[in-house]
Amino acid sequence: MLRKRKNRPRASPITVTWFCTVLIEKIRETQQLRMDVQDSEKFRVISELTGVFAHEIRNPMQVSRGFLQLLDEPDLPYRQKEYIKLSIEELDRANEIIDDFLALGKPSNSTYGTVNVSEQLKRTASLIQTFNVNQQVEFQTDIQDDCWMRADPQKLNQSLLNFLKNAVESMPNGGTVSLSCHKTVDGHIRLTVKDQGIGMNPKQVQRLGSPYYSLKEKGTGLGMMVSYQIIHSFKGKIRVESEEGVGTEFDIEFPGAEP
């Protein structure tokens, strides 16, 4: 006598798809967590190494720079004075690269607070103008007061300084840098830095913020990479529009905050 098999409930295709989707997502999360732990350990080692190397390299650099300044006497021939000047400039550039490496490898000990971006932008623009009086660069500002956000003031200044410095350096023959800062309708803070420099093609724009990518002849790209990381750490978004021979515009948007 044959027994009739009971009809077992079958899982619907929708249920199976949902289950697989959840399972795949959980696997990805587990893999990402494992990678984050590994990256965290690598980051700690890099941080320690950069600190040690920076200290060991800077000591002989400072000694060399000091002796070069002592050798730079008024009665030296012009060519020798140029050699000394060039050597000091290269030592200073190497020191800036070390600073970028330290910023890249240093663990984040950010001190967050409510920051007025308007004041920070005005202060940074004044600083850049002071150091670039001979470059025939004019600043035009349209900055609304009381644009508040949550950020580390020191790191925000570092990123703003880099964006403005790059804008000035992109115009070797002079030009205008336009700065604006406003609140948007949805309560965000929108900051714009626009220059009339050499500009970039789409491929160059896409690579901005990548490690060791720079359009400067002697650039490392670390400054822009660190600036991008800082903006993203404040939950900011960066949009870049550029045209070769016309200029570049950086449009940066942050979540707003109450003062």
Side-chain angles (χ1 to χ4, degrees), residues 115-119 143-149 181-184 188-190 256-257:
V115 181
N116 189 348
V117 189
S118 306
E119 294 300 322
I143 301 175
Q144 177 185 340
D145 291 331
D146 301 327
C147 291
W148 298 89
M149 63 174 284
C181 184
H182 294 275
K183 285 183 182 178
T184 64
H188 287 195
I189 305 301
R190 180 169 292 162

Side-chain angles (χ1 to χ4, degrees), residues 60-70 88-89 91-92:
M61 282 173 55
Q62 292 301 323
V63 172
S64 301
R65 194 183 193 284
F67 278 114
L68 284 169
Q69 288 178 311
L70 289 174
I88 291 175
E89 287 176 354
L91 284 171
D92 289 341

Side-chain angles (χ1 to χ4, degrees), residues 223-242:
M224 185 60 74
M225 180 182 176
V226 171
S227 296
Y228 266 62
Q229 289 181 346
I230 290 172
I231 299 300
H232 291 149
S233 71
F234 299 152
K235 299 180 180 178
K237 298 179 181 179
I238 306 173
R239 182 176 59 85
V240 184
E241 291 186 0
S242 187

Side-chain angles (χ1 to χ4, degrees), residues 9-257:
R10 296 182 179 178
S12 68
I14 296 176
T15 304
V16 173
T17 302
W18 174 82
F19 178 78
C20 291
T21 303
V22 172
L23 182 60
I24 291 170
E25 187 62 32
K26 291 299 179 185
I27 292 172
R28 284 177 180 171
E29 289 179 3
T30 303
Q31 291 176 337
Q32 185 61 47
L33 181 61
R34 188 179 301 166
M35 289 174 62
D36 289 344
V37 171
Q38 292 174 347
D39 289 344
S40 177
E41 180 63 20
K42 290 178 183 178
F43 197 77
R44 183 186 64 80
V45 174
I46 291 173
S47 175
E48 292 178 358
L49 287 174
T50 52
V52 171
F53 279 115
H55 177 74
E56 295 300 324
I57 293 172
R58 272 180 167 160
N59 283 341
M61 282 173 55
Q62 292 301 323
V63 172
S64 301
R65 194 183 193 284
F67 278 114
L68 284 169
Q69 288 178 311
L70 289 174
L71 291 172
D72 191 13
E73 297 179 352
D75 57 346
L76 278 179
Y78 173 77
R79 186 175 293 275
Q80 290 187 24
K81 289 180 73 68
E82 283 297 306
Y83 289 158
I84 291 174
K85 179 174 177 285
L86 180 62
S87 298
I88 291 175
E89 287 176 354
E90 289 301 301
L91 284 171
D92 289 341
R93 190 172 72 88
N95 196 52
E96 290 178 1
I97 295 172
I98 291 174
D99 285 337
D100 288 337
F101 269 113
L102 286 174
L104 190 63
K106 188 166 51 178
S108 178
N109 295 320
S110 299
T111 304
Y112 277 72
T114 309
V115 181
N116 189 348
V117 189
S118 306
E119 294 300 322
Q120 302 290 339
L121 186 58
K122 290 176 184 177
R123 187 179 298 113
T124 306
S126 297
L127 183 64
I128 288 288
Q129 283 179 300
T130 302
F131 285 98
N132 294 278
V133 291
N134 297 324
Q135 286 196 255
Q136 297 181 342
V137 174
E138 180 186 355
F139 279 78
Q140 290 183 351
T141 59
D142 180 15
I143 301 175
Q144 177 185 340
D145 291 331
D146 301 327
C147 291
W148 298 89
M149 63 174 284
R150 291 279 300 169
D152 179 333
Q154 184 176 356
K155 288 187 177 297
L156 179 62
N157 282 339
Q158 181 183 353
S159 62
L160 292 178
L161 190 64
N162 189 65
F163 282 116
L164 268 62
K165 184 169 176 283
N166 281 350
V168 171
E169 291 177 350
S170 73
M171 302 184 295
N173 298 321
T176 300
V177 176
S178 301
L179 304 176
S180 68
C181 184
H182 294 275
K183 285 183 182 178
T184 64
V185 177
D186 55 0
H188 287 195
I189 305 301
R190 180 169 292 162
L191 187 153
T192 302
V193 180
K194 184 177 181 180
D195 63 57
Q196 297 175 331
I198 57 175
M200 296 173 283
N201 60 46
K203 288 185 178 180
Q204 291 171 329
V205 170
Q206 191 174 6
R207 292 190 63 187
L208 279 177
S210 302
Y212 308 110
Y213 178 72
S214 175
L215 296 175
K216 301 174 188 176
E217 184 180 351
K218 297 182 179 181
T220 62
L222 291 175
M224 185 60 74
M225 180 182 176
V226 171
S227 296
Y228 266 62
Q229 289 181 346
I230 290 172
I231 299 300
H232 291 149
S233 71
F234 299 152
K235 299 180 180 178
K237 298 179 181 179
I238 306 173
R239 182 176 59 85
V240 184
E241 291 186 0
S242 187
E243 184 179 346
E244 289 183 305
V246 177
T248 303
E249 178 177 328
F250 284 89
D251 192 63
I252 307 168
E253 190 168 306
F254 300 103

